[in-house]
Amino acid sequence: MNPIAGRSRAFRIAGYLAMLLVLATIALPLYWVLVTSFKTPDMVYIQPPAWWPDPVTADPYSRVVEQVPFLRYFTNSLIITGALVTAKLVLGILSAYAFVYLRFPGRGLVFMLVLAALMVPNQITVISNYALISQLGWINTFQGIIFPLAGVAFGTFLMRNHFLTLPFEIIEAARMDGCGHMKLLLRVLLPMSWPTVVAFALITIVNEWNEYLWPFLVASDETVAPLQVGLARLISTDAYIDWPMVMAATILTITPILIVFLLLQRHMIKGLTSGAVKG
Amino acid sequence: MQTPTSPVAENPAADTRPERRARPRRARLGGPLGEKLLFLALVLPNLALLGVFVYRPLIDNIRLSFFDWNISSPTSTFIGWSNYIEWWNRADSWAVVQNTVIFTVAAVVGSMVLGLALALLLDQHLVGRGIVRSAVFAPFVIAGAAIGVAFQFIFDPRFGMISALLTMVGLPVPNFYQDPDWALFMVTVTYIWKNLGYSFVIYLAALQAKPAELYEAAEMDGAGRWATFRSVTLPLLRPTTFFLSITVMLNSLQVFDIIYVMTRGGPQGNGTTTMVFQVYQETFQNFRAGYGATVATIMFLVLLVITAVQVRVMDRRTT
């Protein structure tokens, strides 16, 4: 008994050490960003670099608001993310309903067509889409950013898989009570589906909030540029970079999504894994 | 997926129920034609968006690769295979392919191996594992652009955190900004730091879904930890590994934000330029959209071949 217990104890200690190492690897970079955002510009350029700001100053945060149209970028991100999440939820749920509850010749084939869109990488679509958006005169507009991103493949897949797990007797009973399609969806199916809908919404919020390449190409100034594009612009010059201000802007950019994540991570992880952990 | 076939198909008698006949209007709307029309009404908007903004550009991109075209000009010239021949003969093409292969292989292998190791670790009954699980997953929800901005400063060869840590243990600090190899290392590490959490949660979910009986049997047979891992856990995880190898590869091949923000594809010309970044540079900086489309097409074809091979290899192993 003793050698086994000893081995298993050594295993546990190694486990806790590994956990500490992992925690440090994730937390240290974030700590570094946070600490830098409270430094004076001079503090950044000392060697060896300081792990604690002295003096502590919140000036970098006021410089973000004064020198960068930060609120404008933030509002743009809210508009773009809000529109895309709404569009994708509606389109995804309606498509999934049709794929599960309505008969149509070649339905499986149509579903594969939606799903295969996941396999098309963005670099092969951006050139032609950019040309199309230019022709429409939609460069530097919200619709130019939103429309090309609004089709939904993953969410359709997620909702369809979920609908397939619901007991069909309930749907049949509702239909026999004279329940029409819209009523069936809104009153019967959705109330049974909130966890999946929340997972779908969260994954979409995170993806669209963090989207970079397409808004970067379409937005030419701060009237429509989202937060990520605005943030990256802060270090786009070869000239002097105000690192505390840039790090303050980074903190302001990542905090909202981290709060959303910490509150609702369970739902998001459930959505990500539900399509993956199947035989 | 317990029910692979549609539940509707299991009820062929639905239309002949007396309740239906009692309501002729509803029966008509719910009849075959009405159902088809409704199907189209619900699916078409989504299908149209995917058609216009995913499948149309996919085809159009292949067409564009045979043209000489400045993206801001309305006219383009058909030049046949010239772009492909130019790509094949240009030295920078191969440097970019090499960067793409190194970055992708390192990103896929790195995030999957580390993700699996962390999943195995945090599947154990350790106090505080919940916090560490959240921490590992958290970077995945942060924008690549924001992480790129943050890590550019973290890797600053003189004033960054990595420099502070290396100096502390007495190691020399590489010039992450100027040395192409170290720059590629920098963007790869940054990418893995951000995306590790994805492989981790997928592996963890697979581990939690594994049947306990198999492990009890292995224990009764006196199998050690390593033997159990090799002969029980790894085979059980094979479908998950297959799924991840494809999704992680697809995602890492599309990385633009981290590379654009941190290095602009440099240093020394194309030190960290991957094929996606080259598509952007040729199309939107050198205004050679036809050549950009050529690079994109080549990459897409390679991707198709790799995915097909992966599917075949996995098929053979699992059956």
Side-chain angles (χ1 to χ4, degrees), chain A residues 224-246:
Chain A
V224 296
L227 211 42
Q228 317 306 342
V229 175
L231 177 68
R233 278 205 182 133
L234 296 183
I235 56 168
S236 65
T237 50
D238 289 329
Y240 166 78
I241 296 174
D242 181 352
W243 281 115
M245 186 268 272
V246 173

Side-chain angles (χ1 to χ4, degrees), chain A:
Chain A
M1 186 67 198
N2 260 347
I4 294 170
R7 254 182 71 188
S8 130
R9 184 199 238 164
F11 222 80
R12 292 185 77 80
I13 292 172
Y16 282 111
L17 286 177
M19 270 190 8
L20 271 180
L21 185 69
V22 171
L23 212 53
T25 310
I26 301 297
L28 266 186
L30 295 174
Y31 170 80
W32 186 257
V33 174
L34 191 67
V35 164
T36 309
S37 75
F38 287 104
K39 284 180 178 175
T40 59
D42 299 345
M43 264 303 279
V44 172
Y45 297 107
I46 56 167
Q47 273 186 307
W51 290 90
W52 184 252
D54 179 31
V56 178
T57 170
D59 281 357
Y61 288 88
S62 35
R63 289 206 296 281
V64 171
V65 182
E66 284 159 17
Q67 298 172 13
V68 185
F70 197 81
L71 277 178
R72 184 69 243 170
Y73 290 139
F74 193 86
T75 317
N76 294 342
S77 269
L78 283 181
I79 293 170
I80 294 166
T81 307
L84 279 170
V85 171
T86 312
K88 289 195 167 194
L89 277 175
V90 171
L91 292 174
I93 291 172
L94 291 183
S95 311
Y97 179 86
F99 283 124
V100 176
Y101 298 109
L102 298 174
R103 275 163 302 179
F104 191 80
R107 184 174 70 172
L109 223 62
V110 182
F111 178 66
M112 284 316 292
L113 199 62
V114 170
L115 198 61
L118 280 174
M119 292 290 292
V120 181
N122 53 25
Q123 74 272 9
I124 204 162
T125 58
V126 287
I127 301 174
S128 182
N129 278 342
Y130 187 88
L132 179 67
I133 294 300
S134 295
Q135 274 171 15
L136 292 169
W138 282 5
I139 294 296
N140 211 28
T141 62
F142 282 119
Q143 66 267 35
I145 295 175
I146 291 165
F147 271 90
L149 298 174
V152 51
F154 176 76
T156 306
F157 171 71
L158 196 69
M159 289 310 301
R160 173 186 172 271
N161 276 5
H162 169 72
F163 284 155
L164 285 175
T165 65
L166 296 179
F168 192 68
E169 294 78 41
I170 298 177
I171 288 101
E172 190 53 26
R175 276 192 184 159
M176 276 162 56
D177 287 346
C179 201
H181 287 292
M182 278 307 112
K183 204 173 158 197
L184 176 67
L185 177 63
L186 295 176
R187 298 272 172 82
V188 182
L189 294 176
L190 282 186
M192 293 195 287
S193 310
W194 286 122
T196 311
V197 175
V198 170
F200 176 12
L202 274 173
I203 292 167
T204 313
I205 289 172
V206 169
N207 280 342
E208 305 313 331
W209 185 266
N210 294 344
E211 176 69 34
Y212 187 76
L213 176 59
W214 183 249
F216 161 77
L217 292 175
V218 176
S220 33
D221 60 41
E222 74 261 19
T223 52
V224 296
L227 211 42
Q228 317 306 342
V229 175
L231 177 68
R233 278 205 182 133
L234 296 183
I235 56 168
S236 65
T237 50
D238 289 329
Y240 166 78
I241 296 174
D242 181 352
W243 281 115
M245 186 268 272
V246 173
M247 291 299 120
T250 307
I251 291 289
L252 292 176
T253 305
I254 67 180
T255 307
I257 208 83
L258 277 179
I259 291 173
V260 170
F261 160 74
L262 284 174
L263 292 175
L264 299 161
Q265 53 172 320
R266 260 170 223 286
H267 297 279
M268 193 180 162
I269 290 171
K270 185 183 159 275
L272 283 175
T273 51
S274 66
V277 189
K278 298 273 157 64

Side-chain angles (χ1 to χ4, degrees), chain A residues 11-12 16 25-26 47 103 107 113 117 122-123 128-129 152 164 168 210 228 235-236 261 265 276, chain B residues 3 6 11 35 38 46 53 55-56 60 125 127 134-135 137 141 143 152 158 193 225 243 254 264 299:
Chain A
F11 222 80
R12 292 185 77 80
Y16 282 111
T25 310
I26 301 297
Q47 273 186 307
R103 275 163 302 179
R107 184 174 70 172
L113 199 62
N122 53 25
Q123 74 272 9
S128 182
N129 278 342
V152 51
L164 285 175
F168 192 68
N210 294 344
Q228 317 306 342
I235 56 168
S236 65
F261 160 74
Q265 53 172 320
Chain B
T3 48
S6 148
N11 267 287
E35 198 167 317
L38 184 61
N46 192 18
F53 295 113
Y55 291 112
R56 180 200 57 81
D60 195 36
H125 292 283
V127 181
S134 300
F137 187 60
V141 304
Q152 210 205 353
R158 290 175 68 199
W193 187 85
R225 282 181 201 272
F243 170 83
Q254 296 182 53
R264 298 287 195 279
M299 191 175 162

